[in-house]
Amino acid sequence: MISRRGTRPTDGFVDIAAAGERDLPEGVLLDGELVVWHDGKLAFDLLQKRMNRTLAAAAREAPTSPANFVAFGPADS
């Protein structure tokens, strides 16, 4: 995982990183966004709680603020 700023948020989103390593073939690149949903809406504040955290702190946040990766698809022409 590499953010648009070039940082590696893997510790904050170990669940997403593990799913990518487990479920995607080697060499696959995806572009998208990490999001956290709360009450049917995007919750940027909950996403921020997971960012830039230690592995232990992010693990504590994961059950109550599960992250999702939303991949961008090709644009329709």
Side-chain angles (χ1 to χ4, degrees):
M1 293 175 55
I2 301 172
S3 76
R4 68 179 73 169
R5 293 184 179 152
T7 62
R8 296 191 176 267
T10 307
D11 283 353
F13 300 95
V14 69
D15 48 343
I16 301 296
E21 289 176 6
R22 180 187 67 235
D23 299 335
L24 297 173
E26 188 174 332
V28 169
L29 296 176
L30 297 174
D31 187 15
E33 292 282 338
L34 290 168
V35 298
V36 172
W37 296 93
H38 181 72
D39 292 334
K41 297 186 234 174
L42 293 174
F44 187 69
D45 59 322
L46 297 178
L47 178 71
Q48 285 183 310
K49 281 186 170 184
R50 301 262 323 252
M51 297 173 80
N52 302 318
R53 297 288 176 133
T54 65
L55 187 57
R60 285 191 302 273
E61 295 289 336
T64 57
S65 301
N68 297 271
F69 178 77
V70 179
F72 299 139
D76 292 335
S77 349

